[in-house]
Amino acid sequence: MFDPFFTTKEVGKGTGIGLAISHKIAEEHGGSLRSIDGAGPGACFQLILKSEASV
Ligand SMILES: Nc1ncnc2c1ncn2[C@@H]1O[C@H](COP(=O)(O)OP(=O)(O)O)[C@@H](O)[C@H]1O
Ligand SMILES: [Mg+2]
């Protein structure tokens, strides 16, 4: 689902670039974005950002 233009939404509804761009932005800043197992309904994502100490 992080692939550019991957979407499960119907034609005209989804662009499939939201997660791809978010993932790229996270990586460009030395971090990461991934989906993880989460409790309950919905989706759970983990965004890791570099701390000042590691720059
Ligand atoms: N919060 C979410 N929960 C479950 N699936 C999601 C979620 N966000 C995105 N997805 C899945 O990843 C695909 C790509 O998402 P995204 O890059 O935001 O593009 P879009 O929203 O235009 O489809 C979605 O079509 C859907 O299948
Ligand atoms: Mg989206």
Side-chain angles (χ1 to χ4, degrees):
M1 67 182 164
F2 292 106
D3 288 345
F5 309 116
F6 171 84
T7 183
T8 52
K9 294 177 184 174
E10 59 187 270
V11 175
K13 294 271 183 179
T15 60
I17 56 173
L19 285 173
I21 289 177
S22 300
H23 185 263
K24 186 72 178 165
I25 290 171
E27 287 202 326
E28 294 275 314
H29 289 273
S32 61
L33 177 66
R34 65 188 184 115
S35 65
I36 58 173
D37 287 336
C44 194
F45 290 87
Q46 178 190 58
L47 170 65
I48 294 179
L49 297 171
K50 230 175 188 177
S51 70
E52 280 296 315
S54 63
V55 174

